[in-house]
Amino acid sequence: MVPGVRSGEAAMSRRVNAVTAWESLFRAQVAVMRTLAAEFPTRDISFNEYDVMFNLTRQPNRELRLRDLNKHVLLTQPSVSRLVDRLVSRGFVAKCPEPNDARGTIIRLTDEGYDMFRSVAVEHMKTIVARVGGRLDQDELEQLTELCDKLRAGD
């Protein structure tokens, strides 16, 4: 407790600081995402399609259950299903039945999808580095990563 500050005042100050920090984090995220979307380097795939492909590349065998994919992207379940169907029709992902659950579906990034992802990722990374890395020094980048990981661990 801060000397001379009552516990009720300290609690109120902490709530105000938490809301202010949230607002700042939210606005920063929106600003960065708008920039990244506006400067997305291709029209061959959408920003959201790239996000699905990115998440698949981070998984063993580049595959994930559809219901688990929904936990990784910022889209509703019906939107993810439609997006995956578009990627399937273009040969970038494959849908396979889940061996241990007849109702489940495995989404797998195809070799063609991986090649598309890699070609876009190289250019997209340049925008990320400019927008995020160009504004923060190395220590700030490490601290931001640590803080964001700490917030996400609360799930």
Side-chain angles (χ1 to χ4, degrees):
M1 190 158 98
V2 177
V5 177
R6 292 189 213 139
S7 65
E9 292 172 359
M12 177 59 90
S13 178
R14 184 167 175 79
R15 285 192 297 268
V16 168
N17 287 343
V19 170
T20 301
W22 158 248
E23 180 73 17
S24 183
L25 175 63
F26 179 73
R27 300 252 178 238
Q29 186 264 344
V30 168
V32 170
M33 292 302 288
R34 283 182 179 160
T35 298
L36 296 179
E39 296 179 11
F40 195 64
T42 186
R43 298 286 180 235
D44 294 329
I45 59 173
S46 71
F47 191 73
N48 288 332
E49 290 169 333
Y50 175 87
D51 188 33
V52 165
M53 296 165 83
F54 168 79
N55 280 286
L56 290 172
T57 66
R58 299 174 59 95
Q59 303 302 316
N61 301 320
R62 296 184 287 207
E63 64 183 31
L64 193 59
R65 293 181 304 184
L66 180 58
R67 71 173 180 242
D68 292 334
L69 178 61
N70 286 317
K71 298 173 189 174
H72 292 277
V73 296
L74 300 174
L75 297 170
T76 63
Q77 187 276 325
S79 295
V80 172
S81 295
R82 286 191 300 272
L83 188 147
V84 165
D85 287 342
R86 285 195 308 271
L87 289 170
V88 167
S89 72
R90 295 166 61 205
F92 294 145
V93 301
K95 288 169 77 171
C96 313
E98 186 174 348
N100 301 323
D101 180 358
R103 297 172 296 157
T105 302
I106 300 286
I107 307 302
R108 182 180 47 79
L109 189 63
T110 65
D111 290 341
E112 183 180 352
Y114 184 71
D115 291 344
M116 171 60 75
F117 167 79
R118 291 293 303 151
S119 69
V120 174
V122 170
E123 293 302 313
H124 185 49
M125 184 176 64
K126 292 176 186 176
T127 306
I128 295 169
V129 169
R131 181 67 170 117
V132 179
R135 300 226 170 43
L136 303 174
D137 66 31
Q138 187 62 33
D139 289 339
E140 291 169 327
L141 290 168
E142 290 172 11
Q143 184 178 24
L144 178 61
T145 300
E146 185 179 312
L147 292 170
C148 289
D149 288 347
K150 188 175 182 177
L151 287 172
R152 284 182 37 221
D155 291 343

